[in-house]
Amino acid sequence: MTDIPSLFDVDDTSRPLADRLRPRALSDVVGQGHLLSDDAPIGRMVAGHRLVSMVLWGPPGCGKTTIARLLAEHTDLVFEPLSATFSGVADLRKIFQAAKQRREIGQGTLLFVDEIHRFNRAQQDSFLPYVEDGTIILVGATTENPSFELNGALLSRSQVFVLKRLDEVALDTLINRAEDLTGSPLPLDVDARQSLIAMADGDGRYLLNMIEQVQALPSPVNTAALAAAVQKRAPLYDKSQEGHYNLISALHKSMRGSDPDAALYWLSRMLLGGEDPLFIARRITRFANEDIGLADPHAVQQALAAWDVYERLGSPEGEIAIAQAVLYLSTAPKSIGVYRSFNKAWATAKRTGSLMPPAHILNAPTRLMKNLGYGKGYQYDPDTETGFSGADYFPDGLPRETFYQPTTRGYERAITDRLRHWAQLRDDIADDSRSDDTPTTPSDRKDTSHD
C-alpha cells in the first residue's frame, strides 16, 4: 500500500467538522473492518491493486463515499463522483467518453455513483458495456436493498458489500478524533457523552454535526441539557422501502414467537418512524387468521376491535388499542391449522374443479330435479339421534380427504376431540351400513314352513 498523508491536514475551521475529519487512509475508516482490513475482501483488492465494480450497501453516515474516494486514491484511479439524484444519461455519456480517452493513455477511472438506486432500469443498463470492458470501475452507494433496486445484469457484474451502522466503539473513536482535532474535550459529563452516542443512532456524519453544536455549549452539560440543545437523529425508516418490510417482518415474527416484549418494541419502532397505524392494524388482523386461527377464535376479534378503535380515536390514543391487540396476539396459542388446511383444500379444488356435488345434498325445487334424485336420502343432522349423520359431502368420485388437522393447543384441543368423536361415529355408521347390505344365507332365514 502506498504512503498516505496523515489523518489531518492543516485544519480549516471554515469547513464542516465531518469534512475536516474525513479519513485519508482506509485504515482510518471506523466500523467497517470486516471489509477493509488487510485480510478482508476490499482490503485484499487494494493490496493487489486490482478493484472490481462493486455496490456499497449500508445506512447513512457509515462511510460509503469516503471508502469510494479512498479506493480511487489507493489504486491510482481517477475519481469521478456522480449523484444519481441530480444526473442523467447525458452526464453519464460525458463521463464514459472521458474514461475511454483516459484508458487510451493507460489511466483508469473509478466512477462513484451515490444513491445509485435512484437511476431507473434504462439508466442502469447504460453502465453495462463500460463495466463489462473495464472502461470504468463502478462503485455504487445505496441505502436500499440492491436485490430490489438494481437490475440483475448490473448486479451480476458487481460485488455487493454490506456496510454496518457504526457501533458505540466506532462512534466514540470519532468523538476522540474530534477532540484531538479541536484540542479540547467536549463539555459533556459521562452520561451525556453516552447519550450523544445513542442520539447519533449509528450515523457518523450526524454525530459529527451534533459535536459542532455541542462544542459551543457552556460546560458542564448533562443529559437533560444535551437533549434540550441538540436534536436526536430521526429513526432510519422509509415507509416505501426495505426498512418498512424489515420492521413489519420483525413485528410479525416476534408475535409468532410469542415474545410480547419484542413485539411491542418493533411496533414502537414502526410508529416512531411514521408508519401508518392502519397498515399495522391490517397486518395484525392477517396474523390473527394465519398464525392463530382457531387456537384462539377471539384473536381476530381483538385485532378487528383494535382496527375499529384506531379508526374512531386516531393517534395517539388509538395506538394503545393496537398495542393491546399486539400483546393479545403475542400471548395467544399459535396454530396454522386453518391456513394449512385451506391451502390443501384449494389445491384439491383446482385439480378437481369440474366435479358436481353429490345429489343428496342438492336442493330440488322442481319435479324434474326430484326425479333426477336431487335431495334424495339427505339427512338433517341436527334432527338425528347423535346430531351427526356421517354422510359423505365430497363430490362423487373424489375419495374423502382430511384437510383440517387441528393442533392440541388452545381451543383446537376441543376441536380435535370433537373431530375424533365424529370420525368414530362415521366409522360406526359405515360399519352398520355394510352390515345391513350383507346378503343373508339360507341358514340365516327363519324357517316358516310350519307356521
Side-chain angles (χ1 to χ4, degrees), residues 10-320:
V10 176
D11 188 30
D12 178 2
T13 57
S14 66
R15 293 157 49 210
L17 182 60
D19 188 51
R20 291 154 59 196
L21 276 176
R22 191 178 296 277
R24 299 305 180 91
L26 286 173
S27 58
D28 294 325
V29 176
V30 297
Q32 311 303 335
H34 64 293
L35 298 177
L36 304 180
S37 61
D38 292 341
D39 59 348
I42 295 179
R44 289 195 298 270
M45 289 185 200
V46 173
H49 218 68
R50 186 172 183 82
L51 296 181
V52 299
S53 291
M54 65 184 74
V55 176
L56 302 178
W57 173 28
C62 67
K64 297 184 292 293
T65 303
T66 295
I67 290 172
R69 188 180 298 275
L70 292 174
L71 288 178
E73 292 179 5
H74 283 62
T75 54
D76 299 323
L77 297 174
V78 173
F79 183 70
E80 284 276 11
L82 190 71
S83 172
T85 305
F86 303 109
S87 306
V89 173
D91 302 292
L92 291 173
R93 288 200 188 102
K94 293 177 182 178
I95 292 174
F96 295 150
Q97 184 60 35
K100 289 171 67 174
Q101 294 174 353
R102 292 192 200 100
R103 192 181 185 195
E104 293 174 356
I105 60 174
Q107 176 67 62
T109 301
L110 187 151
L111 172 57
F112 172 66
V113 182
D114 195 18
E115 311 250 21
I116 192 172
H117 59 276
R118 296 190 182 277
F119 274 147
N120 61 36
R121 300 287 170 170
Q123 291 170 318
Q124 292 179 30
D125 284 341
S126 68
F127 293 111
L128 299 179
Y130 303 101
V131 170
E132 187 79 34
D133 67 10
T135 299
I136 61 169
I137 298 295
L138 174 65
V139 177
T142 179
T143 57
E144 306 300 335
N145 190 329
S147 301
F148 302 142
E149 304 298 333
L150 303 184
N151 64 37
L154 186 58
L155 285 176
S156 71
R157 292 163 173 79
S158 310
Q159 289 193 32
V160 176
F161 295 112
V162 180
L163 280 71
K164 300 177 180 178
R165 68 189 294 275
L166 301 188
D167 58 19
E168 288 190 15
V169 174
L171 293 172
D172 191 57
T173 299
L174 292 182
I175 294 177
N176 291 333
R177 289 181 182 177
E179 291 175 329
D180 291 341
L181 179 64
T182 60
S184 62
L186 295 181
L188 303 174
D189 62 25
V190 174
D191 291 338
R193 188 182 181 98
Q194 284 302 116
S195 295
L196 184 69
I197 291 174
M199 292 168 75
D201 196 21
D203 187 331
R205 185 187 304 108
Y206 195 83
L207 173 69
L208 294 175
N209 290 340
M210 287 195 296
I211 288 174
E212 286 190 292
Q213 301 176 58
V214 169
Q215 287 174 330
L217 297 177
S219 181
V221 176
N222 58 23
T223 300
L226 177 66
V230 298
Q231 181 67 42
K232 182 183 184 296
R233 180 184 180 274
L236 182 61
Y237 187 76
D238 190 329
K239 291 187 289 183
S240 63
Q241 300 295 337
E242 191 197 15
H244 162 81
Y245 298 104
N246 285 344
L247 266 61
I248 192 61
S249 176
L251 172 61
H252 198 121
K253 290 180 173 64
S254 298
M255 292 191 298
R256 181 185 292 159
S258 301
D259 190 334
D261 300 307
L264 278 180
Y265 171 79
W266 293 117
L267 171 65
S268 301
R269 279 280 301 273
M270 295 183 76
L271 293 174
L272 284 169
E275 183 57 76
D276 181 2
L278 289 176
F279 167 77
I280 301 173
R282 289 192 294 271
R283 287 300 297 258
I284 66 174
T285 302
R286 170 186 167 187
F287 175 89
N289 283 300
E290 291 184 0
D291 289 272
I292 297 175
L294 288 173
D296 185 347
H298 297 296
V300 69
Q301 297 173 10
Q302 287 285 327
L304 288 171
W307 190 340
D308 185 49
V309 169
Y310 183 81
E311 287 191 320
R312 291 171 184 269
L313 296 183
S315 293
E317 294 86 351
E319 293 168 5
I320 300 296

Side-chain angles (χ1 to χ4, degrees), residues 420-437:
R420 285 174 180 166
H421 173 65
W422 286 337
Q424 184 61 54
L425 287 177
R426 186 180 289 111
D427 290 342
D428 293 344
I429 292 169
D431 289 342
D432 291 344
S433 177
R434 284 192 293 269
S435 177
D436 292 341
D437 291 341

